[in-house]
Amino acid sequence: MSKQNSKRATQAHWGNAGLSLLFALVCVLGVSVFWVVTWKTPVWLQDDLLFATRSGNAYGETDLSSLWQGLMLDLFERNSRSADFFAQLFFSNSTLLGFWMAAIFVFFSAVLSWFFYSALPKNDWYLVVLGTTTSFGVLTPLVYPFFDASAFATYFFMSATVGYVLGFSWILLVIGWLRNVLVNRKTDLSIVKISFVAATSTLVAFHHEVLALLQLMLVIVLGMVSFKLKPGRNYWLVLGWVGLISILRFFTPGMWKRSEVYEWAFLDPQASAGTQYLSRLIYFLTYFLSHNQVLLIGTAVAFTYFYFQLTKHRILPAWMLSAHYLSLAGLASAIHLAQRLPESLYVGTLELNQYQEILFSKTALLMAAFALTSLTLQLLNLILAAFNLKTLAVSLTFALALAGFLVPFKLSFLSGRPLFYGLFFLLLSAILAFLQGWSLHCIKHPARGMLAVCLAVSCFLGIGVFEAKTVMPKMLANQKAWTQIVNQVATCKDGEQVVFPARLSYRELHSPFGDDGKQYLQHLRDYYAIPQGCQLVVGN
């Protein structure tokens, strides 16, 4: 009888593995086709053309000298970001531009799949784990727009694709490598591996200032854990380099050339610094809790599954589950109170005294108290969980999510690209929490574990298909309109006129050409080498 049970278990395992890998293959092919089709015809937006025409040559053609000059200009005069250098490099190949943009997203999906897979324990279920993590990795970029309405505007803005998506891929490589070395206790690090992570972390630090901030948080968390684990001198050298280069990038001259003072109507200029920060905190929390409920609820469910499984298997102490439930109660209370605050807080038409009355009302202060209590309880749990190598990945990504929100909070940005890093890392922490709980669930109850993961992956697939089905016709319509414009531009002669629409049909995918369009049209003229006699006009 035992032999029959063993045989059935083996057959069930290989059946699950086969279905998991087949499903992953379908996801890989389907999502790859989506990215190729949506990038078939890239649409040039204002910043894209700015970087493409920096060389002064038609069609973005450039050389090493021009690229180097552009990089030095960025680091010392503009914004201290190397992302624009890479944008110019990609834009210099007009023929393969769409291919490169699609390749960035395929690379992003591959890195996410590896990131998830490497975070889970390897056992007899490794093929099931491989198929499952690949499915999650491939679908996550398509699922993210469900939680962030501005995501596709980031995805299909080529400069942002290079700046945010490619940069995110690189930092995941650094995080995953440093985490894996620590977890696997590998002290014999070769010079090749050390050079790789040192070079990649340097690229990340200068690519975008928020990425440098995230690397500093990474160093803080891993440094805290490493004091207990004592991973070896080479690991400390690498970790030190990541922290050092991330700090040094903030001293590049270009970093502060772009610094702007934002004047917000809700801030009292006469108030103390503490009062102003409290105003910013309540302002940010109210909007965040009111407009990100789906992501917060999904994260809460995933973390509950995570704590339940890990306390059940005695990997974490039982009181952590109780602390988590208290954290959820605080979060639910904060969301409820945030919804009671008036939406007029974000319209921008109130007087200062009206803003202050709302921000320092009993409801607002109680909301902030519940939210901070909930966050504190969750942080205490995750700080302690970080010292257990089986749960380090969840603690790490949650900490990076918090770091990703620091700049938007400081500048009081409530939506759009500034929140991309924070929201995406919050989603990753939820996925990893679920996967960690699932990997333990399968040990004693494989059938129930497979049911749980099937439900989760099916949910992701449904959301991904919905988002793809929604955005595909919009993207194709914008591409068609843009192709017509480019065809007119390419054949425009002296004395003729090309009228540009003020915006494409679906503005949420491609933002307006900017201001009155004069700068955009001049860059377009430079890029396509349009004769001066051909008149370019922005219509209504």
Side-chain angles (χ1 to χ4, degrees), residues 425-444:
F425 267 116
L426 187 59
L427 177 60
L428 293 190
S429 69
I431 295 171
L432 281 171
F434 169 79
L435 289 173
Q436 291 278 5
W438 165 71
S439 66
L440 291 171
H441 199 173
C442 287
I443 294 175
K444 290 186 177 180

Side-chain angles (χ1 to χ4, degrees), residues 233-311:
R233 184 184 63 180
N234 287 347
Y235 187 81
W236 280 111
L237 287 174
V238 174
L239 203 61
W241 172 259
V242 175
L244 178 63
I245 198 66
S246 299
I247 292 173
L248 289 178
R249 76 94 61 220
F250 288 102
F251 290 93
T252 52
M255 177 68 198
W256 309 108
K257 291 291 180 72
R258 196 185 176 189
S259 60
E260 302 173 17
V261 178
Y262 294 94
E263 295 183 0
W264 300 104
F266 71 89
L267 285 179
D268 183 359
Q270 305 301 322
S272 64
T275 302
Q276 289 197 8
Y277 270 102
L278 182 58
S279 298
R280 289 183 185 274
L281 177 66
I282 296 174
Y283 186 76
F284 183 83
L285 281 176
T286 304
Y287 188 92
F288 185 83
L289 293 172
S290 301
H291 293 77
N292 294 282
Q293 294 174 21
V294 177
L295 178 56
L296 289 172
I297 292 172
T299 303
V301 171
F303 270 69
T304 301
Y305 184 61
F306 167 76
Y307 284 116
F308 180 79
Q309 291 297 331
L310 270 78
T311 54

